[in-house]
């Protein structure tokens, strides 16, 4: 939990943004912690709130949420070699708490000392709890604060990811997959429907990494 504390602080601004935006789309105070607690995927929750109408187009929301969360398939695959000694009945429920930040920190630690379930759950519990709490506060304060993005809070989302990328930096040799992923994601974001840039960018990076590993 101590390791995850800086990220927990970084969660606060965009958790408040999500909660406030959800209230602007007619979510109740109970709806917001239910959504963030049952889904626990910030990107897909922002997408769902952005697509929310009255009545909501549920198939569209489910489809976009699946696309955005599909990155967890690749994230889980990278962790799989480190999880073989942990019983499935323990590991599978624990993976519910995996988000981008827990994955990045746990993978970095696993590469150094092997995968530690207590370390993973210590990170996850802090991030999961803070996400639910501060999205609720965002929903509570949203009607008072109005559009909180005008305070620049939404910049916290990409800022956290830049910090995570810095921690996973291995040198110039690792740039090519990152650049391929970035280029494909930007192109898909500009020309394709919402959500496609996430799996396509991830697949581009994985493909380049695989090609590098074969040479």
């Amino acid at each position: 939990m101590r390791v995850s504390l800086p990220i927990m602080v970084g969660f606060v601004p965009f958790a408040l943004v999500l909660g406030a935006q959800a209230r602007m789309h007619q979510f109740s105070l109970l709806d917001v912690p239910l959504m963030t607690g049952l889904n626990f995927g910030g990107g897909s929750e922002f997408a769902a709130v952005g697509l929310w109408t009255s009545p909501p187009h549920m198939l569209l929301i489910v489809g976009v949420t699946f696309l955005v969360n599909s990155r967890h398939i690749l994230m889980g695959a990278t962790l799989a070699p480190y999880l073989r000694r942990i019983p499935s009945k323990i590991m599978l429920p624990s993976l519910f708490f995996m988000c981008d930040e827990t994955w990045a920190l746990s993978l970095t630690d696993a590469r150094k000392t092997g995968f530690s379930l207590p370390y993973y759950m210590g990170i996850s519990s802090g991030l999961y709890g803070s996400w639910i709490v501060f999205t609720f506060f965002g929903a509570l304060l949203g009607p008072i604060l109005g559009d909180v993005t005008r305070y620049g809070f939404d910049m916290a989302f990409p800022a956290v990811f830049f910090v995570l990328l810095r921690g996973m930096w291995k040198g110039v040799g690792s740039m090519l997959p990152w650049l391929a992923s970035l280029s494909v994601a930007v192109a898909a974001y500009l020309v394709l429907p919402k959500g496609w840039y996430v799996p396509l960018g991830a697949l581009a990076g994985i493909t380049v990494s695989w090609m590098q590993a074969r040479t």
Side-chain angles (χ1 to χ4, degrees):
M1 289 185 73
R2 186 169 61 249
V3 172
S4 67
L5 186 60
I7 297 177
M8 289 170 60
V9 174
F11 266 18
V12 174
F14 59 94
L16 294 175
V17 170
L18 177 62
Q21 289 183 348
R23 287 287 280 165
M24 290 172 61
H25 286 80
Q26 308 305 314
F27 279 59
S28 72
L29 279 177
L30 179 61
D31 292 338
V32 175
L34 278 175
M35 176 182 70
T36 56
L38 293 174
N39 181 59
F40 193 43
S44 60
E45 289 162 0
F46 274 101
V49 168
L51 293 170
W52 198 266
T53 57
S54 183
H57 301 287
M58 295 307 299
L59 289 179
L60 175 63
I61 292 171
V62 169
V64 170
T65 300
F66 175 81
L67 284 175
V68 175
N69 283 343
S70 64
R71 70 192 186 280
H72 286 75
I73 298 172
L74 300 174
M75 289 157 57
T78 61
L79 279 177
Y82 302 99
L83 306 179
R84 290 172 180 164
R85 295 183 179 180
I86 301 175
S88 297
K89 63 181 180 181
I90 297 175
M91 197 64 245
L92 291 178
S94 302
L95 287 174
F96 168 79
F97 298 100
M98 184 177 71
C99 63
D100 303 87
E101 293 79 8
T102 55
W103 167 78
L105 292 172
S106 297
L107 182 61
T108 301
D109 183 67
R111 286 171 172 168
K112 295 176 182 177
T113 60
F115 185 83
S116 168
L117 185 60
Y119 179 87
Y120 168 86
M121 290 305 300
I123 293 170
S124 299
S125 58
L127 296 182
Y128 182 72
S130 63
W131 183 245
I132 295 174
V133 168
F134 285 105
T135 51
F136 173 77
F137 275 116
L140 188 65
L141 299 174
I144 301 171
L145 297 176
D147 183 10
V148 293
T149 59
R150 71 179 187 269
Y151 303 115
F153 282 4
D154 50 333
M155 185 56 200
F157 207 3
V160 167
F161 284 99
F162 284 130
V163 173
L164 292 175
L165 288 175
R166 177 63 185 89
M168 301 180 73
W169 177 255
K170 294 181 179 179
V172 178
S174 64
M175 284 185 62
L176 190 57
W178 292 16
L179 289 174
S181 180
L182 175 63
S183 301
V184 171
V186 169
Y189 179 82
L190 293 174
V191 302
L192 293 177
K194 194 171 186 178
W196 281 104
Y197 64 93
V198 176
L200 292 179
L203 286 172
I206 291 291
T207 301
V208 173
S209 295
W210 177 74
M211 293 173 65
Q212 284 183 319
R214 290 176 57 89
T215 58

